[in-house]
Amino acid sequence: MEFRRGRMRWERIQSNWQHFKSSALARWAMLTPQELDAIGGRRDLLTGHIEEIYGITFATAQAQVEAWRGEQREPAFKPAPG
């Protein structure tokens, strides 16, 4: 696992966006699954979209994204049967 100061590196979130997308949707319900698909785990696009949709400052959106990132964990590993 790749953690820095207790937080997951953004590269891990972006590379496994399909897993983290549902958590982002739960946190920012005004974003649609299609928008999150288009964002594709890119932090700058996610932050900008949150700023626009929620009508908040970019700094506030950044703070929200960083807080959310701190809550994320690696997906559970499920060994293959057999």
Side-chain angles (χ1 to χ4, degrees), residues 12-32:
R12 295 292 301 144
I13 292 173
Q14 186 171 356
S15 68
N16 201 358
W17 185 241
Q18 288 306 307
H19 169 76
F20 294 106
K21 182 174 74 171
S22 61
S23 175
L25 184 60
R27 172 63 181 85
W28 296 287
M30 289 174 65
L31 300 178
T32 68

Side-chain angles (χ1 to χ4, degrees), residues 37-56:
D37 283 340
I39 287 166
R42 291 169 292 200
R43 181 174 30 193
D44 58 334
L45 292 180
L46 178 61
T47 303
H49 217 67
I50 291 166
E51 173 191 21
E52 181 180 329
I53 297 296
Y54 283 87
I56 59 178

